[in-house]
Amino acid sequence: MRSPRVVFASLMSLTAMPMAACSLDQFRGPPQVTVTTCEEKALIEDGEDGDDQILLREGRNGYLYTFADKAGSTVLPAETGFRMAEGGAEGSTHSIHLTGHVASKGEVYVGVGFDLKESSDGYDASQYKGLSFSAKVKAGTEPHVRFMVGDVNTDPKGKICTACNNDFGITFKATNEWVRYQVTYPELKQEAGWGAPHPPAIDPARLMSVQWQVSVPNSDLDLWLDDIAFIGCPSDKSAGGSGK
């Protein structure tokens, strides 16, 4: 059994492409923003407001956080109070930036993620076909990153799993330049050998969280992420498969 949020998978299906009224807590953050186009509705976080909450649209209102194992791995920013870094993909002003070191022994992992909603009910993203994001790593740091999406069957908040956190995911190898990746729901897989239950596929109507994790022992981490969005809008010509 591996640690929560840890798992590697084949990169074969992951596609690289060129480059507050509705919140449950009325005291946290501004109201939801009304957007009209599919692309605006699909955008989850672009970092441009600089804060630690994902974009308040379409009922989404989760917060960014970092996490690390108890075996000695380290991570910055701290686990709470996340703030965006200056600089981003395609000349944007801000993005997610994560640094740290993965411990050498035990069930080791370091990562960053967010819940799609603060509540325990899943987020319905069934109108989309998957997710996309831009990523890069600093030269000389670990390039293998696990991208994971938790649903009601894998997240303990869903109150279904008896062995939780074996989220659906896929591993990609980041480069030292910004690259855009996209993955459809069917390409996301759980790790074999642990976790319960093991449904045949992710449930896009009840998504819970999105995370990125490095779990290579004794490795340095310097990961940048930007422009996280759902795919499947009419203008998204490559959302139907893994081709460019």
Side-chain angles (χ1 to χ4, degrees), residues 30-227:
Q32 290 270 320
V33 175
T34 300
V35 290
T36 56
T37 69
C38 179
E39 288 78 9
E40 290 173 330
K41 293 177 181 179
L43 182 62
I44 302 171
E45 179 57 61
D46 61 3
E48 296 306 281
D49 56 14
D51 67 19
D52 64 341
Q53 189 170 35
I54 63 175
L55 296 175
L56 293 168
R57 52 187 66 178
E58 298 297 288
R60 301 186 293 266
N61 60 0
Y63 285 81
L64 283 149
Y65 55 83
T66 57
F67 57 91
D69 58 61
K70 304 300 182 182
S73 296
T74 58
V75 61
L76 288 174
E79 295 182 8
T80 58
F82 193 99
R83 288 295 181 268
M84 296 294 174
E86 293 185 1
E90 299 183 353
S92 62
T93 62
H94 291 83
S95 60
I96 298 167
H97 183 207
L98 183 70
T99 63
H101 182 79
V102 183
S104 59
K105 295 180 180 180
E107 296 181 1
V108 295
Y109 53 88
V110 172
V112 63
F114 55 82
D115 291 335
L116 290 164
K117 297 175 67 176
E118 286 197 273
S119 61
S120 59
D121 56 320
Y123 179 75
D124 186 356
S126 58
Q127 68 270 39
Y128 302 110
K129 296 183 179 181
L131 295 100
S132 64
F133 56 91
S134 296
K136 71 172 183 175
V137 293
K138 181 180 178 181
T141 63
E142 179 56 48
H144 294 94
V145 182
R146 175 75 172 173
F147 173 61
M148 300 173 291
V149 183
D151 71 359
V152 70
N153 293 303
T154 65
D155 193 300
K157 294 190 298 296
K159 298 181 180 180
I160 293 176
C161 54
T162 56
C164 302
N165 297 320
N166 188 358
D167 294 336
F168 292 84
I170 193 169
T171 294
F172 65 100
K173 185 177 181 180
T175 72
N176 306 147
E177 302 291 336
W178 283 110
V179 175
R180 187 142 190 89
Y181 301 90
Q182 71 171 27
V183 57
T184 60
Y185 295 136
E187 294 169 331
L188 296 166
K189 306 294 182 183
Q190 287 181 284
E191 181 184 26
W194 73 280
H198 273 275
I202 195 170
D203 184 351
R206 296 187 293 173
L207 300 185
M208 304 293 282
S209 63
V210 179
Q211 296 186 331
W212 294 260
Q213 178 175 286
V214 171
S215 57
V216 177
N218 197 31
S219 63
D220 291 322
L221 170 69
D222 195 313
L223 173 66
W224 296 75
L225 301 162
D226 204 357
D227 298 329

